[in-house]
Amino acid sequence: MHPAKIELTLSASGRHLAFSKELLDVAHIFRHVGGEGKPWVRLAVYARSPYFDTDAFAPGTQLGYYVQHDTQQGEEEARSHIVSTSTGIL
């Protein structure tokens, strides 16, 4: 299993996610809203880097993201660490 990497950059209009992706990997992006213990939701299937999340949230909302790489057969191959931020903070 190769390591998956993810980087989060904030801007005035949203969150920019850049991640590693091997040629044949299938990348999915997940997000949770409201901090630890909240459910993870798949934002993107077959995502490409960079991915830009422009969904609006109330200031101070906790967000977390990770990228999951699957094989062409649909098996999880790698998962990145979680990157987190609060909205309204640049």
Side-chain angles (χ1 to χ4, degrees):
M1 185 180 293
H2 64 83
K5 296 179 183 178
I6 187 170
E7 183 178 301
L8 173 64
T9 306
L10 306 177
S11 73
S13 58
R15 281 107 11 232
H16 178 270
L17 299 162
F19 52 92
S20 62
K21 181 180 176 303
E22 299 296 322
L23 182 61
L24 296 177
D25 284 346
V26 175
H28 304 286
I29 297 175
F30 291 83
R31 177 183 71 201
H32 71 164
V33 178
E36 288 187 39
K38 300 297 182 182
W40 288 95
V41 175
R42 187 183 333 227
L43 288 182
V45 178
Y46 298 101
R48 291 182 176 216
S49 182
Y51 179 84
F52 201 65
D53 181 13
T54 58
D55 290 347
F57 297 96
T61 301
Q62 295 288 317
L63 301 172
Y65 298 90
Y66 73 86
V67 64
Q68 176 180 308
H69 293 192
D70 291 352
T71 65
Q72 293 293 318
Q73 293 72 37
E75 298 175 11
E76 184 178 334
E77 184 172 44
R79 185 180 290 196
S80 73
H81 64 280
I82 296 170
V83 291
S84 300
T85 189
S86 294
T87 58
I89 299 173
L90 292 177

Coordinates of all heavy atoms in Angstrom, one line a residue:
M1 N 0.9 -1.2 0.0 CA 0.0 0.0 0.0 C 0.9 1.2 0.0 O 1.8 1.4 0.8 CB -0.9 0.0 1.2 CG -1.9 1.1 1.3 SD -3.0 1.1 2.7 CE -4.0 -0.3 2.5
H2 N 0.7 2.1 -1.0 CA 1.5 3.4 -1.0 C 0.8 4.4 -0.1 O -0.4 4.4 0.1 CB 1.6 3.8 -2.5 CG 0.4 4.2 -3.1 ND1 -0.2 5.5 -2.9 CD2 -0.5 3.5 -3.9 CE1 -1.3 5.5 -3.6 NE2 -1.5 4.4 -4.2
P3 N 1.6 5.4 0.4 CA 1.0 6.4 1.2 C 0.2 7.4 0.3 O 0.6 7.8 -0.8 CB 2.2 7.1 1.8 CG 3.3 6.8 0.9 CD 3.0 5.5 0.2
A4 N -0.9 7.9 0.9 CA -1.7 8.9 0.2 C -1.4 10.2 0.9 O -1.4 10.2 2.1 CB -3.2 8.5 0.3
K5 N -1.3 11.3 0.2 CA -1.0 12.6 0.8 C -2.1 13.5 0.4 O -2.6 13.5 -0.7 CB 0.4 13.1 0.2 CG 1.5 12.2 0.6 CD 2.8 12.7 0.1 CE 4.0 11.8 0.5 NZ 5.2 12.2 -0.1
I6 N -2.3 14.5 1.3 CA -3.3 15.5 1.1 C -2.9 16.8 1.7 O -2.2 16.8 2.7 CB -4.7 15.1 1.6 CG1 -5.8 16.1 1.2 CG2 -4.7 14.9 3.1 CD1 -7.2 15.6 1.5
E7 N -3.2 17.9 1.0 CA -2.8 19.2 1.5 C -4.0 20.1 1.4 O -4.7 20.2 0.4 CB -1.6 19.8 0.7 CG -1.1 21.1 1.2 CD 0.1 21.6 0.3 OE1 1.1 20.8 0.3 OE2 0.0 22.6 -0.3
L8 N -4.3 20.9 2.4 CA -5.4 21.8 2.5 C -4.9 23.2 2.5 O -4.1 23.6 3.3 CB -6.2 21.5 3.8 CG -7.4 22.5 4.1 CD1 -8.5 22.4 3.1 CD2 -7.9 22.1 5.5
T9 N -5.4 24.1 1.6 CA -5.1 25.5 1.5 C -6.4 26.2 1.6 O -7.4 25.9 0.9 CB -4.4 25.8 0.2 OG1 -3.2 25.0 0.1 CG2 -3.9 27.3 0.2
L10 N -6.5 27.3 2.4 CA -7.7 28.1 2.5 C -7.7 29.3 1.7 O -6.6 29.9 1.5 CB -7.9 28.5 4.0 CG -7.9 27.3 5.0 CD1 -8.0 27.8 6.4 CD2 -9.0 26.3 4.7
S11 N -8.8 29.7 1.2 CA -9.0 31.0 0.4 C -10.3 31.6 0.8 O -11.1 31.0 1.5 CB -8.9 30.7 -1.1 OG -10.1 30.2 -1.5
A12 N -10.5 32.8 0.4 CA -11.7 33.5 0.8 C -13.0 32.8 0.2 O -14.1 32.9 0.7 CB -11.7 34.9 0.2
S13 N -12.8 32.0 -0.9 CA -14.0 31.4 -1.5 C -14.1 29.9 -1.2 O -15.1 29.3 -1.7 CB -14.0 31.6 -3.0 OG -12.8 31.1 -3.5
G14 N -13.2 29.3 -0.4 CA -13.4 27.9 -0.1 C -12.1 27.2 0.3 O -11.1 27.9 0.7
R15 N -12.1 25.9 0.2 CA -11.0 25.1 0.6 C -10.4 24.3 -0.6 O -11.1 23.7 -1.3 CB -11.4 24.1 1.7 CG -11.5 24.7 3.0 CD -12.9 24.9 3.7 NE -14.0 24.3 3.0 CZ -15.1 25.1 2.7 NH1 -15.2 26.3 2.9 NH2 -16.2 24.5 2.2
H16 N -9.1 24.4 -0.8 CA -8.4 23.9 -2.0 C -7.7 22.6 -1.4 O -6.9 22.7 -0.5 CB -7.4 24.9 -2.5 CG -6.6 24.4 -3.6 ND1 -5.4 23.8 -3.4 CD2 -6.8 24.5 -5.0 CE1 -4.8 23.5 -4.6 NE2 -5.7 23.9 -5.5
L17 N -8.0 21.4 -2.0 CA -7.4 20.2 -1.6 C -6.5 19.7 -2.7 O -7.0 19.4 -3.8 CB -8.5 19.1 -1.2 CG -9.4 19.5 -0.1 CD1 -10.7 18.7 -0.1 CD2 -8.7 19.4 1.2
A18 N -5.3 19.5 -2.4 CA -4.3 18.9 -3.4 C -3.9 17.6 -2.8 O -3.6 17.5 -1.6 CB -3.1 19.8 -3.6
F19 N -3.9 16.5 -3.6 CA -3.5 15.2 -3.1 C -2.7 14.4 -4.2 O -2.8 14.7 -5.4 CB -4.8 14.4 -2.7 CG -5.9 14.4 -3.8 CD1 -5.9 13.3 -4.7 CD2 -6.8 15.4 -3.8 CE1 -6.9 13.3 -5.6 CE2 -7.8 15.3 -4.8 CZ -7.9 14.2 -5.7
S20 N -2.0 13.4 -3.7 CA -1.3 12.5 -4.5 C -2.2 11.6 -5.2 O -3.3 11.2 -4.6 CB -0.2 11.8 -3.7 OG -0.8 11.0 -2.8
K21 N -1.9 11.2 -6.4 CA -2.7 10.2 -7.1 C -1.8 9.5 -8.1 O -1.3 10.1 -9.0 CB -3.9 10.8 -7.8 CG -4.8 9.9 -8.5 CD -6.0 10.6 -9.1 CE -6.9 9.8 -9.9 NZ -6.2 9.0 -11.0
E22 N -1.7 8.2 -8.0 CA -1.0 7.4 -9.0 C -1.9 7.3 -10.2 O -3.1 7.5 -10.2 CB -0.6 6.0 -8.4 CG 0.2 6.0 -7.2 CD 1.6 6.6 -7.5 OE1 2.2 6.4 -8.6 OE2 2.1 7.4 -6.6
L23 N -1.3 7.0 -11.4 CA -1.9 6.9 -12.6 C -3.2 6.1 -12.6 O -4.3 6.6 -13.1 CB -1.0 6.4 -13.7 CG -1.6 6.4 -15.1 CD1 -1.9 7.8 -15.6 CD2 -0.6 5.8 -16.1
L24 N -3.2 4.9 -12.1 CA -4.4 4.1 -12.1 C -5.3 4.1 -10.9 O -6.3 3.4 -10.8 CB -4.0 2.6 -12.4 CG -3.3 2.4 -13.7 CD1 -2.9 1.0 -13.9 CD2 -4.2 2.8 -14.9
D25 N -4.9 4.9 -9.9 CA -5.7 5.0 -8.7 C -7.0 5.7 -8.9 O -7.1 6.6 -9.8 CB -5.0 5.9 -7.6 CG -3.8 5.2 -6.9 OD1 -3.7 3.9 -7.0 OD2 -3.0 5.9 -6.3
V26 N -8.0 5.3 -8.2 CA -9.3 5.9 -8.1 C -9.3 6.7 -6.8 O -9.2 6.1 -5.8 CB -10.4 4.9 -8.2 CG1 -11.8 5.6 -8.1 CG2 -10.4 4.1 -9.5
A27 N -9.5 8.0 -6.9 CA -9.5 8.8 -5.7 C -10.9 9.3 -5.3 O -11.6 9.8 -6.2 CB -8.5 10.0 -5.9
H28 N -11.2 9.2 -4.0 CA -12.5 9.7 -3.5 C -12.1 10.7 -2.4 O -11.2 10.4 -1.6 CB -13.3 8.5 -2.9 CG -13.6 7.4 -3.9 ND1 -14.4 7.5 -4.9 CD2 -13.0 6.2 -3.9 CE1 -14.5 6.4 -5.6 NE2 -13.6 5.6 -5.0
I29 N -12.9 11.7 -2.3 CA -12.7 12.7 -1.2 C -13.9 12.7 -0.3 O -15.0 12.6 -0.7 CB -12.6 14.2 -1.8 CG1 -11.4 14.2 -2.7 CG2 -12.5 15.2 -0.7 CD1 -11.2 15.5 -3.5
F30 N -13.5 12.6 1.0 CA -14.5 12.6 2.1 C -14.4 13.8 3.0 O -13.3 14.4 3.2 CB -14.3 11.3 3.0 CG -14.6 10.0 2.2 CD1 -13.7 9.5 1.4 CD2 -15.8 9.4 2.4 CE1 -13.9 8.3 0.8 CE2 -16.1 8.2 1.8 CZ -15.2 7.7 0.9
R31 N -15.5 14.2 3.5 CA -15.6 15.4 4.4 C -16.5 15.1 5.6 O -17.5 14.4 5.4 CB -16.1 16.6 3.7 CG -16.2 17.9 4.6 CD -16.8 19.1 3.8 NE -18.2 18.8 3.6 CZ -18.9 19.4 2.6 NH1 -18.3 20.3 1.8 NH2 -20.2 19.2 2.4
H32 N -16.1 15.6 6.8 CA -17.1 15.6 7.9 C -17.2 17.1 8.4 O -16.3 17.9 8.3 CB -16.8 14.6 9.0 CG -15.6 14.9 9.8 ND1 -15.4 14.3 11.0 CD2 -14.6 15.8 9.6 CE1 -14.2 14.8 11.5 NE2 -13.7 15.6 10.7
V33 N -18.4 17.4 8.8 CA -18.8 18.7 9.3 C -19.1 18.7 10.7 O -20.0 17.9 11.1 CB -20.0 19.3 8.4 CG1 -20.3 20.7 8.9 CG2 -19.6 19.3 6.9
G34 N -18.5 19.5 11.5 CA -18.9 19.6 12.9 C -17.9 18.9 13.9 O -18.2 18.8 15.1
G35 N -16.8 18.5 13.4 CA -15.8 17.9 14.3 C -15.8 16.4 14.4 O -16.6 15.7 13.8
E36 N -14.9 15.9 15.3 CA -14.8 14.4 15.4 C -16.1 13.8 15.9 O -16.9 14.4 16.6 CB -13.8 14.1 16.5 CG -12.4 14.4 16.0 CD -11.3 13.9 16.9 OE1 -11.5 12.8 17.5 OE2 -10.3 14.6 17.1
G37 N -16.4 12.6 15.4 CA -17.6 11.9 15.7 C -18.7 12.1 14.8 O -19.7 11.4 14.8
K38 N -18.6 13.1 13.9 CA -19.6 13.4 12.9 C -19.4 12.4 11.8 O -18.3 12.0 11.5 CB -19.6 14.8 12.5 CG -19.8 15.8 13.6 CD -21.2 15.6 14.2 CE -21.4 16.7 15.3 NZ -22.7 16.6 15.9
P39 N -20.5 12.1 11.0 CA -20.3 11.1 9.9 C -19.5 11.7 8.8 O -19.6 12.9 8.5 CB -21.8 10.9 9.5 CG -22.6 12.0 10.0 CD -21.9 12.5 11.2
W40 N -18.8 10.8 8.1 CA -18.0 11.2 6.9 C -19.0 11.1 5.7 O -19.7 10.1 5.6 CB -16.8 10.3 6.7 CG -15.8 10.6 7.7 CD1 -15.6 9.9 8.9 CD2 -14.8 11.6 7.6 NE1 -14.5 10.5 9.6 CE2 -14.0 11.5 8.8 CE3 -14.4 12.5 6.7 CZ2 -12.9 12.3 9.0 CZ3 -13.4 13.4 6.9 CH2 -12.6 13.3 8.1
V41 N -18.9 12.0 4.8 CA -19.7 12.0 3.6 C -18.7 12.1 2.4 O -17.8 12.9 2.4 CB -20.6 13.3 3.5 CG1 -21.4 13.4 2.2 CG2 -21.6 13.3 4.7
R42 N -19.0 11.3 1.4 CA -18.2 11.3 0.2 C -18.6 12.5 -0.7 O -19.7 12.6 -1.1 CB -18.3 10.0 -0.6 CG -17.4 9.9 -1.8 CD -17.5 8.7 -2.6 NE -18.1 7.5 -2.0 CZ -17.7 6.3 -2.0 NH1 -16.6 6.0 -2.7 NH2 -18.3 5.3 -1.4
L43 N -17.6 13.4 -0.9 CA -17.8 14.6 -1.7 C -17.6 14.3 -3.2 O -18.3 14.9 -4.0 CB -16.9 15.7 -1.3 CG -17.1 16.4 0.0 CD1 -16.1 17.5 0.1 CD2 -18.5 17.0 0.1
A44 N -16.6 13.5 -3.5 CA -16.2 13.3 -4.9 C -15.8 11.9 -5.2 O -15.1 11.3 -4.3 CB -15.1 14.3 -5.3
V45 N -16.3 11.4 -6.3 CA -15.9 10.0 -6.7 C -15.0 10.2 -8.0 O -15.3 11.1 -8.8 CB -17.1 9.2 -7.1 CG1 -16.8 7.8 -7.6 CG2 -18.0 9.1 -5.9
Y46 N -14.0 9.5 -8.1 CA -13.0 9.6 -9.2 C -12.5 11.1 -9.3 O -12.5 11.7 -10.3 CB -13.7 9.2 -10.6 CG -14.1 7.8 -10.6 CD1 -15.4 7.4 -10.5 CD2 -13.1 6.8 -10.8 CE1 -15.8 6.1 -10.5 CE2 -13.5 5.5 -10.9 CZ -14.8 5.1 -10.7 OH -15.2 3.8 -10.7
A47 N -12.1 11.6 -8.1 CA -11.7 13.0 -8.0 C -10.3 13.2 -8.7 O -9.5 12.3 -8.7 CB -11.6 13.4 -6.5
R48 N -10.1 14.4 -9.1 CA -8.8 14.8 -9.6 C -8.3 15.9 -8.7 O -9.0 16.7 -8.1 CB -9.0 15.4 -11.0 CG -9.3 14.3 -12.0 CD -9.4 14.9 -13.4 NE -9.7 13.8 -14.3 CZ -9.2 13.8 -15.6 NH1 -8.4 14.8 -16.0 NH2 -9.4 12.8 -16.4
S49 N -7.0 16.0 -8.6 CA -6.3 17.0 -7.8 C -5.9 18.1 -8.8 O -5.5 17.9 -9.9 CB -5.0 16.4 -7.2 OG -4.4 17.4 -6.4
P50 N -6.2 19.3 -8.4 CA -6.8 19.8 -7.1 C -8.3 19.7 -7.1 O -8.9 19.8 -8.1 CB -6.3 21.2 -7.0 CG -6.2 21.7 -8.4 CD -5.8 20.5 -9.2
Y51 N -8.9 19.6 -5.9 CA -10.3 19.7 -5.7 C -10.6 20.9 -4.9 O -9.9 21.2 -3.9 CB -10.8 18.4 -5.0 CG -12.2 18.4 -4.7 CD1 -13.1 17.9 -5.7 CD2 -12.8 18.8 -3.5 CE1 -14.5 17.9 -5.5 CE2 -14.1 18.8 -3.3 CZ -15.0 18.3 -4.3 OH -16.3 18.3 -4.1
F52 N -11.7 21.6 -5.3 CA -12.0 22.9 -4.6 C -13.4 22.7 -4.0 O -14.4 22.5 -4.7 CB -12.0 24.0 -5.6 CG -11.8 25.4 -4.9 CD1 -10.7 25.7 -4.2 CD2 -12.8 26.3 -5.0 CE1 -10.5 26.9 -3.6 CE2 -12.7 27.5 -4.4 CZ -11.5 27.8 -3.7
D53 N -13.5 22.8 -2.7 CA -14.8 22.7 -1.9 C -15.2 24.2 -1.7 O -14.6 24.9 -0.9 CB -14.6 22.0 -0.6 CG -15.8 21.8 0.2 OD1 -16.9 22.1 -0.4 OD2 -15.8 21.4 1.3
T54 N -16.3 24.5 -2.3 CA -16.8 25.9 -2.2 C -18.1 25.9 -1.4 O -18.8 27.0 -1.3 CB -17.1 26.5 -3.5 OG1 -18.0 25.7 -4.3 CG2 -15.8 26.7 -4.3
D55 N -18.5 24.8 -0.8 CA -19.8 24.8 0.1 C -19.6 25.8 1.2 O -18.6 26.0 1.8 CB -20.0 23.4 0.7 CG -20.4 22.4 -0.4 OD1 -20.7 22.8 -1.5 OD2 -20.4 21.2 -0.1
A56 N -20.7 26.5 1.5 CA -20.7 27.6 2.5 C -21.2 27.0 3.8 O -22.1 26.2 3.9 CB -21.6 28.7 2.1
F57 N -20.5 27.4 4.9 CA -20.8 27.0 6.3 C -20.8 28.2 7.2 O -20.1 29.2 6.9 CB -19.8 26.0 6.8 CG -19.8 24.7 6.0 CD1 -18.9 24.5 4.9 CD2 -20.7 23.7 6.3 CE1 -18.9 23.3 4.2 CE2 -20.7 22.5 5.5 CZ -19.8 22.4 4.5
A58 N -21.5 28.1 8.3 CA -21.4 29.2 9.3 C -20.0 29.4 9.8 O -19.2 28.4 9.9 CB -22.3 28.9 10.5
P59 N -19.6 30.6 10.1 CA -18.2 30.9 10.6 C -18.0 30.0 11.9 O -18.8 29.8 12.7 CB -18.3 32.3 11.0 CG -19.3 32.9 10.1 CD -20.4 31.9 10.0
G60 N -16.8 29.5 11.9 CA -16.4 28.6 13.0 C -16.7 27.2 12.9 O -16.4 26.4 13.8
T61 N -17.4 26.7 11.8 CA -17.7 25.3 11.6 C -16.5 24.5 11.4 O -15.6 24.9 10.6 CB -18.6 25.2 10.4 OG1 -19.8 25.9 10.6 CG2 -19.0 23.7 10.2
Q62 N -16.3 23.4 12.1 CA -15.2 22.5 12.0 C -15.4 21.6 10.8 O -16.4 21.0 10.6 CB -15.0 21.7 13.3 CG -14.7 22.5 14.5 CD -13.3 23.0 14.5 OE1 -12.3 22.2 14.1 NE2 -13.1 24.2 14.8
L63 N -14.4 21.5 9.9 CA -14.4 20.6 8.8 C -13.2 19.7 8.8 O -12.1 20.2 9.1 CB -14.4 21.5 7.5 CG -15.5 22.5 7.3 CD1 -15.2 23.3 6.1 CD2 -16.8 21.7 7.1
G64 N -13.3 18.5 8.3 CA -12.2 17.6 8.2 C -12.3 16.9 6.8 O -13.4 16.7 6.3
Y65 N -11.2 16.6 6.2 CA -11.1 16.0 4.9 C -10.1 14.8 4.9 O -9.1 14.9 5.6 CB -10.7 17.0 3.8 CG -11.6 18.1 3.6 CD1 -11.4 19.3 4.4 CD2 -12.6 18.1 2.7 CE1 -12.2 20.4 4.2 CE2 -13.5 19.2 2.5 CZ -13.3 20.3 3.2 OH -14.1 21.4 3.1
Y66 N -10.4 13.8 4.0 CA -9.3 12.9 3.7 C -9.6 12.4 2.3 O -10.7 12.5 1.8 CB -9.2 11.7 4.7 CG -10.3 10.7 4.7 CD1 -10.3 9.6 3.8 CD2 -11.4 10.8 5.6 CE1 -11.3 8.6 3.9 CE2 -12.4 9.8 5.6 CZ -12.3 8.8 4.7 OH -13.3 7.8 4.8
V67 N -8.5 11.8 1.7 CA -8.7 11.2 0.3 C -8.4 9.7 0.5 O -7.5 9.3 1.3 CB -7.7 11.9 -0.7 CG1 -6.3 11.7 -0.3 CG2 -8.0 11.4 -2.1
Q68 N -9.2 9.0 -0.2 CA -9.1 7.5 -0.2 C -8.8 7.0 -1.6 O -9.4 7.4 -2.6 CB -10.3 6.8 0.3 CG -10.3 5.3 0.2 CD -11.6 4.7 0.7 OE1 -12.0 5.1 1.8 NE2 -12.2 3.9 0.0
H69 N -7.7 6.2 -1.8 CA -7.4 5.7 -3.1 C -7.9 4.2 -3.1 O -7.6 3.4 -2.2 CB -5.9 5.7 -3.3 CG -5.3 7.0 -3.4 ND1 -4.0 7.3 -3.8 CD2 -5.8 8.3 -3.2 CE1 -3.8 8.6 -3.9 NE2 -4.9 9.2 -3.5
D70 N -8.6 3.9 -4.2 CA -9.1 2.5 -4.4 C -8.4 2.0 -5.7 O -8.0 2.7 -6.5 CB -10.6 2.5 -4.6 CG -11.4 2.8 -3.4 OD1 -10.8 2.9 -2.3 OD2 -12.6 3.0 -3.5
T71 N -8.3 0.7 -5.7 CA -7.8 0.0 -6.9 C -8.9 0.1 -8.0 O -10.0 0.4 -7.7 CB -7.4 -1.5 -6.7 OG1 -8.6 -2.2 -6.3 CG2 -6.4 -1.6 -5.5
Q72 N -8.5 -0.3 -9.2 CA -9.5 -0.4 -10.3 C -10.6 -1.4 -10.0 O -11.7 -1.3 -10.6 CB -8.8 -0.7 -11.6 CG -7.9 0.4 -12.1 CD -8.7 1.7 -12.5 OE1 -9.7 1.6 -13.1 NE2 -8.1 2.8 -12.1
Q73 N -10.3 -2.3 -9.1 CA -11.3 -3.4 -8.7 C -12.2 -2.9 -7.5 O -13.0 -3.7 -7.1 CB -10.6 -4.7 -8.3 CG -9.9 -5.3 -9.5 CD -8.6 -4.6 -9.9 OE1 -7.9 -4.1 -9.1 NE2 -8.4 -4.6 -11.2
G74 N -12.0 -1.7 -7.1 CA -12.8 -1.1 -6.0 C -12.4 -1.4 -4.6 O -13.1 -1.1 -3.6
E75 N -11.2 -1.9 -4.4 CA -10.7 -2.2 -3.1 C -9.9 -1.0 -2.6 O -9.1 -0.4 -3.3 CB -9.8 -3.5 -3.1 CG -10.6 -4.7 -3.5 CD -9.7 -5.9 -3.7 OE1 -8.5 -5.9 -3.2 OE2 -10.2 -6.9 -4.2
E76 N -10.0 -0.7 -1.3 CA -9.3 0.4 -0.7 C -7.8 0.1 -0.7 O -7.4 -1.0 -0.3 CB -9.7 0.7 0.7 CG -9.0 1.9 1.3 CD -9.5 2.3 2.7 OE1 -10.6 2.0 3.1 OE2 -8.6 2.9 3.4
E77 N -7.0 1.0 -1.2 CA -5.6 0.8 -1.4 C -4.8 1.7 -0.4 O -3.8 1.3 0.1 CB -5.1 1.1 -2.8 CG -3.7 0.8 -3.0 CD -3.3 0.8 -4.5 OE1 -3.8 1.8 -5.2 OE2 -2.6 0.0 -5.0
A78 N -5.2 2.9 -0.2 CA -4.6 3.8 0.7 C -5.5 4.9 1.1 O -6.5 5.2 0.5 CB -3.4 4.5 0.0
R79 N -5.2 5.5 2.3 CA -6.0 6.6 2.8 C -5.0 7.6 3.4 O -4.1 7.3 4.0 CB -6.9 6.1 3.9 CG -7.9 7.1 4.4 CD -8.8 6.6 5.5 NE -9.7 5.6 5.0 CZ -10.8 5.2 5.6 NH1 -11.0 5.6 6.8 NH2 -11.6 4.4 5.0
S80 N -5.3 8.9 3.1 CA -4.5 10.0 3.6 C -4.8 10.2 5.1 O -5.8 9.7 5.7 CB -4.7 11.3 2.8 OG -6.0 11.8 3.2
H81 N -3.9 11.1 5.7 CA -4.2 11.6 7.0 C -5.4 12.6 6.9 O -5.8 13.0 5.8 CB -3.0 12.2 7.6 CG -2.5 13.4 6.9 ND1 -1.8 13.4 5.8 CD2 -2.7 14.8 7.2 CE1 -1.5 14.6 5.3 NE2 -2.1 15.5 6.2
I82 N -6.0 12.9 8.0 CA -7.1 13.9 8.0 C -6.5 15.3 8.1 O -5.7 15.5 8.9 CB -8.1 13.6 9.2 CG1 -8.7 12.2 9.0 CG2 -9.1 14.7 9.3 CD1 -9.5 11.7 10.2
V83 N -7.1 16.2 7.3 CA -6.7 17.6 7.4 C -8.0 18.3 7.9 O -9.1 18.0 7.5 CB -6.2 18.2 6.1 CG1 -4.8 17.6 5.7 CG2 -7.2 18.0 4.9
S84 N -7.8 19.3 8.8 CA -9.0 19.9 9.4 C -8.8 21.5 9.4 O -7.7 22.0 9.3 CB -9.1 19.5 10.9 OG -9.3 18.1 10.9
T85 N -9.9 22.1 9.4 CA -9.9 23.6 9.5 C -11.3 24.0 10.1 O -12.2 23.2 10.3 CB -9.7 24.2 8.1 OG1 -9.5 25.6 8.3 CG2 -10.9 24.0 7.2
S86 N -11.3 25.3 10.4 CA -12.6 26.0 10.8 C -12.9 27.0 9.8 O -12.0 27.7 9.3 CB -12.4 26.7 12.2 OG -12.2 25.7 13.2
T87 N -14.2 27.1 9.4 CA -14.5 28.1 8.4 C -14.4 29.5 9.0 O -14.5 29.7 10.2 CB -16.0 27.9 7.9 OG1 -16.9 27.9 9.0 CG2 -16.1 26.6 7.2
G88 N -14.2 30.4 8.1 CA -14.0 31.8 8.5 C -12.7 32.2 9.0 O -12.4 33.3 9.4
I89 N -11.7 31.2 8.9 CA -10.4 31.4 9.4 C -9.4 31.3 8.2 O -9.4 30.3 7.6 CB -10.0 30.5 10.5 CG1 -10.9 30.6 11.7 CG2 -8.5 30.7 10.9 CD1 -10.7 29.6 12.8
L90 N -8.7 32.3 7.9 CA -7.7 32.3 6.8 C -6.3 32.4 7.3 O -6.0 33.0 8.3 CB -8.0 33.4 5.8 CG -9.2 33.3 5.0 CD1 -9.4 34.5 4.1 CD2 -9.2 32.1 4.1

